[in-house]
Amino acid sequence: MSWLSKITGGGKSAAASGSSGAAQRERPAAPPMIVIDHHEYTPEEFALGSFRIRPYDGDLIAKQQFDFHLVFDLGNDPVNVSCRGLVVKMNEQTGLVARYQSPQPFYERKLIDYIRAWKGV
């Protein structure tokens, strides 16, 4: 152990365990919240570009385009992203399956950072 690490009170093992603890505290427990027509839904499945909500009790139908918001917290920074989606499939068994266009590049990077933290990558 070097004299600098002795003075600062840490070695490599202490620094590594401290950083992993910080990463675990910031890891989101759920996918981003999806807001459609002022109703909040937690998606059952979520990936970059698509999601599934089950059960869904709204008015959307298959092949319909719709506007929605992705809402999540990245650290202590609340993020609300406006998106445009397309209903791929809608029925009681599958729920609402939709694809969505990538948001603006600034928000897309924030969403990717959130998904990485959520998945633990």
Side-chain angles (χ1 to χ4, degrees):
M1 189 184 284
S2 71
W3 63 271
L4 182 58
S5 63
K6 289 179 183 178
I7 292 172
T8 58
K12 289 184 179 181
S13 62
S17 65
S19 65
S20 66
Q24 289 177 348
R25 280 187 301 232
E26 295 177 12
R27 186 173 182 182
M33 185 69 61
I34 296 175
V35 180
I36 303 171
D37 294 331
H38 304 289
H39 293 89
E40 295 181 353
Y41 299 96
T42 301
E44 183 175 292
E45 297 174 19
F46 185 86
L48 197 58
S50 66
F51 61 85
R52 174 194 309 259
I53 297 173
R54 185 171 40 187
Y56 173 74
D57 58 352
D59 296 332
L60 296 176
I61 59 172
K63 299 183 182 179
Q64 180 179 357
Q65 291 187 4
F66 64 101
D67 294 318
F68 68 98
H69 292 268
L70 291 172
V71 180
F72 55 92
D73 282 337
L74 190 58
N76 289 331
D77 182 24
V79 180
N80 187 337
V81 182
S82 295
C83 294
R84 184 93 174 140
L86 173 69
V87 177
V88 175
K89 193 170 190 180
M90 176 61 209
N91 62 37
E92 287 195 23
Q93 286 103 10
T94 60
L96 169 66
V97 179
R99 290 186 311 213
Y100 62 94
Q101 298 172 350
S102 295
Q104 296 175 353
F106 175 78
Y107 291 112
E108 184 177 19
R109 284 190 299 274
K110 286 187 175 274
L111 181 59
I112 290 170
D113 290 344
Y114 182 85
I115 292 172
R116 283 184 179 158
W118 174 49
K119 298 285 186 179
V121 177

